[in-house]
Amino acid sequence: MSSAINKENSKMSVDSEREPLLRVRDLKKYFPIHKGILGRHVGDVKAVDGISFDIYPNETLGMVGESGCGKTTAGRTILRLLEPTSGKVYFRDDSIYDLKTEQMRALRRQMQIIFQDPFSSLNPRMTVESIIGEAIEFHGIAKGEERRSIVESLLERVGLQPSYVTRYPHEFSGGQRQRIGIARALALNPDFIVCDEAVSALDVSVQAQVINLLQDLQEEYNLSYLFIAHDLSVVKHISDRIAVMYLGRVVELATTEELFERPLHPYTQALLSAIPTPNPSKKKSRVILKGDVPSPINPPSGCTFHTRCPARFGPCSTVVPRSIEAEPGHFVRCHLYDPEYTTTDPEVWNRLPIPPVDDLPIPKHPDPEPDAGEDATIAKDVEPSETADVEKSAPDEDPKVGAIPAADDTKTGLEGSALQGPADGITPSESAPEE
C-alpha cells in the first residue's frame, strides 16, 4: 500500500505545479588543505561540487553513489551543520544561509537528521528521556511531566515501550537505538528529515522494520525525506526519485521507475549492474569499471567520470558536461545527450554498458526558419517528384544529431577493478570528514 502511494507521489512531484519544499541551487562544499608552519592554503577537497535539485512535500528523494562521493557532506551542508563554500538552499521561501542565529534556530524545528551510526549518535551518559526530550525543552515546547509524556508517546509511536524512558543507550540493540534516533528527529514535528544512511548499520530484518516505520511516519506526518544510502534495493523501495552522485556532482536524476528501467549515464548503468539478483540460476552481466575513483583534491578535467567511462569521446576530457533533460523529468550530465556535443558514431554508443535499442528524445537545437529569398523561391518551383529524385541521388550522409544507432548484439567487454559500493561553502578551520 505504502509503495503504491509513493509511486503516486512520485508522479505528482514531477508533473504537478506544486511548490517545492526544499530547493538546492549550485551547492558547493570545499574543505581547505593547509601546509607548512604558516598554514598556507595549497588546495581543496571538493566534497560537493555544484549540485542542484528540488524536494517536494511528502516526497522521498534517494541519493546514491560510491563511498566518498559527497552524499553525507551534501546532507549536512543542506541542514547548515556545515557552512557552504557557495550556492543557495531555500526552505520554502527562506534562504537558509542568509538567516541569522536566532532565525536558524527556529528553522531547525522544521529540519532534522537521522544519523548513520546508532551507536555513536546517542550520548551514553544520558537517558532516553533526556536524549529525546532535550530539544523539546530547549525550544520551549514542554518540560517536566509534560515532556516525559511526549517522550513516552514518541517511543510508543516508533515501536518501543514507554517504560524505556529511564534506560541508557547501552541497554538497547542497534535497531532499537535507531528507533530512538528516529523518535528524536520527530520530537519537534519537522517537515523535512535527512536520513543519512539510517539503515546501513542494521541487519536485513531490522532494515525492513525501520524502512516500513519511516514510510508509515511519512504518511502520518506528511514528511519529506532526503534518503542517503548505498543499498540500491532499499532506495528503490522507499524513494520517489533518485539522484546519482559521482565525485561531488549529481550525474543523473529521475523518477525511481524511470531510472531503473532506462538508466542513461554510463556510471548509473554500471551502478545498477552491481545489484545482486535473488535467483541464483539467473545470470546477470556485471559491468566492471576501469581504474579507481579519482581524488576529490585533484579531480579530472572535463567530465570527472571520463577516466573510467567506456563510452568517452572527444569533448569528455576537456568540457564540463551540463545537466540535460533527455526525457521529461529525467536529467543526465553527459555529453552523449547534449545536442551541442553528441556524436553519431555507432562505436561510441555501443560501448555503453547498456547500449540504446531505439531512438531517445535527445534535446535538439530549434531549426532556423528559412530566409524568404532566392533559395525559398527556387524551393517553391521544384516539383515534389523532382525533390524525391534529388534526395535519392544524393550521397549517403551521417544521421542527424539525436538519432541513436541501434545496438549490436555483442557488447564490448570491460575489464578493471570492481565497482565499490552498490550504485554541488567553507570556513578555514574546517577539515575534511570521512564519508
Side-chain angles (χ1 to χ4, degrees):
M1 178 66 179
S2 60
S3 177
I5 293 176
N6 280 340
K7 295 299 181 184
E8 184 65 25
N9 289 336
S10 175
K11 295 178 182 178
M12 292 174 58
S13 66
V14 175
D15 298 335
S16 73
E17 297 181 355
R18 295 184 303 163
E19 287 294 323
L21 178 69
L22 185 81
R23 291 175 291 151
V24 180
R25 295 292 178 267
D26 197 26
L27 181 62
K28 296 182 180 181
K29 176 59 180 176
Y30 296 170
F31 294 96
I33 301 173
H34 299 285
K35 272 190 177 183
I37 299 176
L38 299 179
R40 292 181 300 109
H41 180 212
V42 297
D44 295 289
V45 177
K46 299 179 180 180
V48 178
D49 197 13
I51 63 173
S52 302
F53 55 82
D54 296 336
I55 298 180
Y56 292 83
N58 200 31
E59 181 192 37
T60 300
L61 175 66
M63 184 171 284
V64 299
E66 293 171 293
S67 296
C69 70
K71 303 184 301 297
T72 294
T73 302
R76 296 191 178 206
T77 307
I78 288 171
L79 295 180
R80 204 175 169 182
L81 297 179
L82 296 173
E83 291 294 330
T85 300
S86 64
K88 293 286 186 179
V89 173
Y90 299 92
F91 187 81
R92 293 193 173 95
D93 295 328
D94 295 324
S95 177
I96 293 178
Y97 303 137
D98 295 334
L99 298 180
K100 296 181 179 179
T101 303
E102 291 299 323
Q103 295 172 316
M104 192 65 212
R105 184 173 296 153
L107 184 62
R108 292 204 183 280
R109 293 185 58 173
Q110 303 175 56
M111 305 170 66
Q112 290 292 309
I113 184 171
I114 302 172
F115 293 99
Q116 175 179 356
D117 189 357
F119 296 91
S120 63
S121 62
L122 303 180
N123 192 330
R125 294 172 177 249
M126 298 174 67
T127 63
V128 172
E129 180 183 359
S130 299
I131 291 172
I132 300 176
E134 183 179 26
I136 296 175
E137 187 169 343
F138 178 82
H139 287 276
I141 298 175
K143 59 175 59 177
E145 289 299 321
E146 186 180 359
R147 184 187 79 162
R148 170 171 283 204
S149 177
I150 294 175
V151 172
E152 288 177 346
S153 64
L154 284 170
L155 287 177
E156 192 171 6
R157 184 62 194 89
V158 298
L160 298 175
Q161 295 293 327
S163 59
Y164 290 170
V165 291
T166 58
R167 295 190 181 184
Y168 289 86
H170 71 270
E171 301 179 66
F172 297 96
S173 65
Q176 289 175 322
R177 292 189 189 194
Q178 197 62 288
R179 289 172 184 267
I180 295 172
I182 295 173
R184 178 174 59 182
L186 293 172
L188 300 177
N189 193 23
D191 295 318
F192 172 65
I193 297 178
V194 174
C195 303
D196 183 15
E197 303 193 35
V199 297
S200 62
L202 309 176
D203 60 45
V204 177
S205 61
V206 179
Q207 277 187 8
Q209 296 173 11
V210 174
I211 290 298
N212 291 334
L213 173 62
L214 290 173
Q215 289 182 315
D216 292 341
L217 293 173
Q218 184 176 41
E219 295 177 29
E220 183 175 347
Y221 296 104
N222 196 33
L223 297 171
S224 298
Y225 294 140
L226 174 60
F227 193 85
I228 301 169
H230 282 107
D231 193 334
L232 288 169
S233 301
V234 173
V235 173
K236 181 181 181 181
H237 177 73
I238 195 174
S239 300
D240 301 308
R241 292 185 298 142
I242 298 177
V244 181
M245 285 192 68
Y246 182 81
L247 216 60
R249 296 175 181 173
V250 174
V251 297
E252 190 163 0
L253 174 63
T255 61
T256 302
E257 182 179 358
E258 180 73 15
L259 189 79
F260 276 80
E261 288 185 359
R262 299 191 69 179
L264 300 181
H265 198 279
Y267 176 68
T268 307
Q269 295 176 356
L271 205 61
L272 296 181
S273 74
I275 303 176
T277 56
N279 187 355
S281 61
K282 184 179 179 181
K283 294 183 179 180
K284 183 178 181 180
S285 58
R286 172 74 184 274
V287 178
I288 307 298
L289 295 175
K290 294 182 178 180
D292 298 322
V293 181
S295 170
I297 299 175
N298 186 25
S301 60
C303 176
T304 55
F305 185 62
H306 84 265
T307 57
R308 306 173 69 194
C309 182
R312 61 182 177 271
F313 64 108
C316 294
S317 60
T318 56
V319 182
V320 177
R322 56 184 178 176
S323 182
I324 299 295
E325 189 172 15
E327 297 177 353
H330 194 154
F331 297 88
V332 59
R333 193 182 289 267
C334 180
H335 291 309
L336 285 172
Y337 307 95
D338 190 333
E340 186 175 346
Y341 298 104
T342 190
T343 178
T344 57
D345 186 356
E347 291 187 8
V348 175
W349 288 98
N350 290 329
R351 287 202 305 265
L352 283 172
I354 305 178
V357 294
D358 55 3
D359 290 346
L360 292 177
I362 300 176
K364 302 178 182 180
H365 294 302
D367 295 331
E369 297 182 0
D371 295 333
E374 181 180 354
D375 295 340
T377 304
I378 294 175
K380 292 180 180 179
D381 295 338
V382 177
E383 295 296 329
S385 58
E386 296 175 357
T387 304
D389 293 337
V390 171
E391 291 179 352
K392 290 180 181 179
S393 61
D396 294 338
E397 297 180 353
D398 293 337
K400 295 181 180 180
V401 173
I404 302 176
D408 295 336
D409 292 335
T410 59
K411 184 169 59 176
T412 304
L414 302 176
E415 299 177 358
S417 59
L419 183 69
Q420 300 175 3
D424 280 286
I426 172 127
T427 55
S429 61
E430 293 174 342
S431 59
E434 297 179 359
E435 280 296 324

